[in-house]
Amino acid sequence: MDHRDEREPEQVPVGPPDGTTAAGDARGRRRAAAAKASGTDAAATAADESDHDTRFFGQPWALAHIFGVEMWERFSFYGMQVVMTYYLYFSVSEGGLGLPQSTALGIIGAYGGTVYLCTILGAWLADRLLGSERVLFFSAIVIMAGHVALAVIPGFGGVGVGLILVALGSGGLKANATSVVGTLYSAKDPRRDAGFSLFYLGINLGAFFGPIITGAVRDVAGFHWAFLVAAIGMGLGLLQYSFGRKSLPPQSRVVPNPLPRQRFPLIIGLAIAALAVVAVLVVTGVITADNLSVTVALVTVAAAIAYFAVILTSRLITGDERSRVFGFIPLFITSTAFWSLYQQQFTVVPVYSESKLDRTIFGWTMPPEWVQSINPVFIIVLSGVFAAIWTKLGDRQPSTPVKFGVGTILMGCAFLLFLPFAGGGPNSTPLLAMVGILLVFTVAELLVSPIGLSVTTKLAPERFHTQMVALFFLSVALGTSVSGIVAGLYNPDNEVPYFAVLGGLAILVGAGLLFATRPVLGLMGGVR
């Protein structure tokens, strides 16, 4: 679910788009180099000590603190997300805000897309201003503030403040948590992969328990109590991390490419101008709740085009590197198509679970939020299976375009699996059928999500590693916002066209990439 299986992408400074800097940047780099040189011995000593620290299931004790804050962050994030979907479109008499269902799903899609857009901001803040550890800490505070706002501020005011804060914080935390975990291990530490696997387990535990607990609370006590539970969960993670963050190695706080102080006014001015433009567009009615997903999608498309243009026109990359970036474009398009369907786990699937799914078990009706906990179980079980398969196959495993193509085709097939139950009334779809559909979701995810992060770092030009990782996240952001747009077309009374068309389009996109595998591999220049 949503990159819970991701591994640590290589963290490289986010510099100016063309890789060049002014004299101030050169001085900043010299200061950073001097700071790194002076701290080399301390960092090496910390790494050696960490190599002998086995207090957390054979891993460094500091991992427990990152494990905890990430687990509780995922608990609060996924616990809140589906509850928020219902809060937006349930009637006022049911405790909701009574928005049209299409508007509610569009807001959720826009919110999800904004989270991934904010990963770029989080990476920039870490690389230029604060370092990964500090961004992680401040992001956790922002997330908790967002959940508190949702719990205590009534109506649309709470939704606006809460979702903005959670999106900003989650983007910052997602961009930096894996980087901080990486600083716990020396390059030769054999426990590194196991440490990331344990970290990944924490992510999935949070994603599993979040919807179950908040869903049960919402069912018994109402929406705002469920939001409060999410806030408490994030508070527990933040409290643990606050006490343990001092034990993290000093390199987790290093700012790789410090922003020169003389450029602070420019950056602050640009930030204020951007906020002013957004405020004016909202006040004048250009940006509304109804077109929020479209707005986020357009911003994401513009950012992606700019990123591609900057990298492809740079004089600092070789011809082979430029070819590989071109080879990434079909993968970007396919990834966007995949996520536009997959992220409907948080838009259409909650609506379907609440209105069509038979959730009665031995006379007891399961809260619809609990459906969101099915996918994390499959992820925990199957990720190890897939890792073993790829390891066993070695050089004989399918290439990345094949994995992307098959994953997107499977995602389309998952939508087609809704068709036998289309048009049914309440409680018409067996719970076991939904479990099977979400199993296909999971298999498709494991063919795209971890593979996408891996191939992105392989295809990235030497000067643009972080920008290429940002491009992959932009494909997720675009797909997520598109999921909100198309979810607005979902009609529980006329489901066949919706599931058939979207499922068919995904299959066509995946098949197109399969047919284009050979030329795409040619552009990828030896990367599989």
Side-chain angles (χ1 to χ4, degrees):
M1 174 182 290
D2 178 32
H3 292 293
R4 289 196 304 273
D5 52 346
E6 69 190 34
R7 295 296 184 264
E8 177 194 16
E10 182 174 354
Q11 294 298 310
V12 182
V14 179
D18 61 358
T20 62
T21 60
D25 287 322
R27 288 192 294 272
R29 287 199 304 274
R30 287 196 295 272
R31 288 196 301 270
K36 290 181 187 177
S38 65
T40 298
D41 292 339
T45 301
D48 289 339
E49 292 175 353
S50 180
D51 286 351
H52 296 91
D53 182 359
T54 59
R55 289 177 292 168
F56 185 61
F57 299 101
Q59 301 294 324
W61 180 247
L63 180 62
H65 307 302
I66 313 173
F67 176 99
V69 72
E70 182 71 13
M71 180 185 72
W72 285 111
E73 187 274 332
R74 292 292 90 181
F75 171 95
S76 64
F77 182 88
Y78 288 108
M80 175 275 291
Q81 191 163 14
V82 179
V83 172
M84 174 58 64
T85 303
Y86 297 141
Y87 180 57
L88 290 174
Y89 79 80
F90 273 25
S91 67
V92 175
S93 62
E94 296 172 301
L97 296 180
L99 285 176
Q101 184 175 288
S102 60
T103 302
L105 300 187
I107 291 173
I108 295 298
Y111 159 72
T114 303
V115 168
Y116 287 98
L117 278 175
C118 289
T119 61
I120 300 172
L121 176 61
W124 187 89
L125 289 172
D127 286 343
R128 305 304 304 269
L129 292 177
L130 298 172
S132 290
E133 190 281 324
R134 293 186 185 91
V135 174
L136 192 158
F137 176 64
F138 293 133
S139 295
I141 295 174
V142 172
I143 292 169
M144 190 182 73
H147 288 303
V148 170
L150 289 170
V152 302
I153 301 177
F156 293 105
V159 171
V161 173
L163 290 187
I164 289 172
L165 291 177
V166 175
L168 287 169
S170 295
L173 195 145
K174 176 180 283 292
N176 290 284
T178 51
S179 178
V180 174
V181 173
T183 65
L184 302 181
Y185 304 92
S186 66
K188 296 181 180 179
D189 193 331
R191 301 172 301 163
R192 188 181 184 91
D193 286 351
F196 272 96
S197 295
L198 190 58
F199 172 69
Y200 147 75
L201 174 63
I203 294 172
N204 283 280
L205 286 175
F208 172 75
F209 285 110
I212 289 178
I213 295 177
T214 57
V217 171
R218 193 274 308 168
D219 194 44
V220 173
F223 287 104
H224 289 282
W225 285 101
F227 296 143
L228 181 60
V229 167
I232 292 171
M234 190 65 243
L236 291 173
L238 179 60
L239 182 65
Q240 176 194 358
Y241 186 73
S242 298
F243 285 111
R245 60 191 293 249
K246 292 181 181 179
S247 65
L248 293 171
Q251 57 265 40
S252 67
R253 301 177 185 88
V254 168
V255 181
N257 186 18
L259 185 72
R261 289 189 176 275
Q262 58 266 37
R263 295 183 65 183
F264 280 20
L266 173 62
I267 298 301
I268 294 172
L270 290 174
I272 293 174
L275 291 174
V277 169
V278 172
V280 169
L281 292 176
V282 171
V283 170
T284 57
V286 176
I287 297 177
T288 66
D290 291 325
N291 66 15
L292 201 55
S293 280
V294 175
T295 302
V296 174
L298 291 175
V299 170
T300 307
V301 168
I305 291 174
Y307 261 115
F308 273 116
V310 164
I311 296 173
L312 289 170
T313 59
S314 173
R315 298 178 180 179
L316 300 174
I317 67 174
T318 66
D320 288 341
E321 288 176 330
R322 184 171 287 106
S323 176
R324 288 180 182 137
V325 175
F326 275 115
F328 181 71
I329 293 176
L331 301 181
F332 180 94
I333 295 171
T334 306
S335 175
T336 299
F338 169 83
W339 292 109
S340 67
L341 268 65
Y342 179 86
Q343 294 293 67
Q344 293 189 46
Q345 276 195 93
F346 310 108
T347 54
V348 169
V349 170
V351 174
Y352 192 94
S353 299
E354 188 269 329
S355 61
K356 297 295 185 75
L357 191 62
D358 183 2
R359 295 175 279 109
T360 302
I361 304 173
F362 300 115
W364 170 75
T365 302
M366 180 182 80
E369 289 93 342
W370 288 24
V371 173
Q372 299 302 315
S373 294
I374 296 172
N375 174 260
V377 175
F378 285 139
I379 286 288
I380 292 172
V381 173
L382 293 179
S383 59
V385 174
F386 272 75
I389 291 173
W390 303 144
T391 302
K392 180 72 173 178
L393 290 176
D395 293 338
R396 295 179 290 113
Q397 65 183 282
S399 65
T400 295
V402 171
K403 291 176 183 176
F404 262 57
V406 173
T408 305
I409 289 172
L410 285 175
M411 195 64 245
C413 291
F415 264 52
L416 297 183
L417 290 175
F418 281 102
L419 291 178
F421 312 101
N427 305 321
S428 59
T429 301
L431 180 60
L432 189 60
M434 180 61 78
V435 171
I437 292 171
L438 292 178
L439 173 60
V440 180
F441 269 60
T442 305
V443 174
E445 175 189 3
L446 290 172
L447 287 168
V448 174
S449 180
I451 308 304
L453 278 170
S454 176
V455 77
T456 300
T457 59
K458 294 175 185 177
L459 293 174
E462 183 178 352
R463 296 292 189 105
F464 292 95
H465 274 258
T466 300
Q467 284 88 338
M468 284 289 285
V469 173
L471 272 173
F472 181 76
F473 280 125
L474 283 177
S475 75
V476 184
L478 181 56
T480 304
S481 55
V482 169
S483 76
I485 296 171
V486 297
L489 304 175
Y490 173 69
N491 182 354
D493 298 323
N494 189 22
E495 296 173 322
V496 172
Y498 186 84
F499 290 121
V501 171
L502 290 182
L505 287 175
I507 290 172
L508 287 176
V509 172
L513 184 60
L514 289 181
F515 282 118
T517 294
R518 183 169 295 180
V520 171
L521 285 174
L523 290 171
M524 290 168 63
V527 175
R528 286 178 51 82

